[in-house]
Amino acid sequence: MDLTALGAAIAAFTGIGAGIGIGIATAKAVDAVARQPEASSKIMTLLILGGALAEATAIYGMIVALLIIFA
């Protein structure tokens, strides 16, 4: 049995984790801005930084999946 496809699918699941993480972070940021509107600039800065790190994780997973398939 060829396990290449299974390995690539597992590596591609990082995109699901990143999507869930960004969704939770966005919900918490909206809640925080609703509670303290004066802190919205700091909250949005941290939200953008966290989103970028989560997306980087998803991109690394995609690269690993592509390397498993084509290497």
Side-chain angles (χ1 to χ4, degrees):
M1 181 176 179
D2 189 18
L3 297 177
T4 303
L6 180 63
I10 291 171
F13 280 138
T14 58
I16 294 172
I20 292 170
I22 292 171
I24 291 171
T26 303
K28 298 290 184 177
V30 168
D31 186 42
V33 170
R35 291 175 187 261
Q36 293 183 339
E38 67 275 0
S40 65
S41 64
K42 283 186 176 183
I43 294 168
M44 287 302 147
T45 302
L46 292 173
L47 175 64
I48 290 171
L49 178 64
L53 292 173
E55 284 298 321
T57 303
I59 291 170
Y60 292 148
M62 182 185 69
I63 290 171
V64 168
L66 290 173
L67 286 174
I68 289 173
I69 292 172
F70 294 114

